[in-house]
Amino acid sequence: MKRSDLLRHLKSHGCELLREGGNHSVYVNRTAGKATAVPRHREINEFLARKICRDLDIREP
């Protein structure tokens, strides 16, 4: 899955960027009180994309 597609999915479900790191971006779901790191690779493995969505308590893509 492309990183841009995953970020679009996260933003459409109410997640927002908390901070940028060297190798990761940290996104937070304030309604659920959850946060997770999203790597800065162009392609993100499907299993990792599903884990990121589960960590943020949103629907999987």
Side-chain angles (χ1 to χ4, degrees):
M1 158 174 268
K2 296 243 183 244
R3 183 177 193 267
S4 59
D5 294 338
L6 178 61
L7 296 182
R8 192 175 310 115
H9 176 74
L10 295 179
K11 289 177 185 177
S12 70
H13 285 85
C15 299
E16 55 191 40
L17 178 66
L18 180 65
R19 66 179 173 85
E20 292 283 344
N23 296 321
H24 294 83
S25 302
V26 177
Y27 276 81
V28 63
N29 183 351
R30 296 198 190 273
T31 57
K34 308 268 181 151
T36 192
V38 178
R40 285 195 176 171
H41 304 286
R42 287 182 184 229
E43 286 287 330
I44 295 177
N45 190 338
E46 293 292 328
F47 295 109
L48 180 57
R50 282 190 276 162
K51 183 193 180 306
I52 289 169
C53 291
R54 281 194 307 265
D55 288 347
L56 292 171
D57 281 343
I58 61 171
R59 184 180 61 83
E60 297 177 2

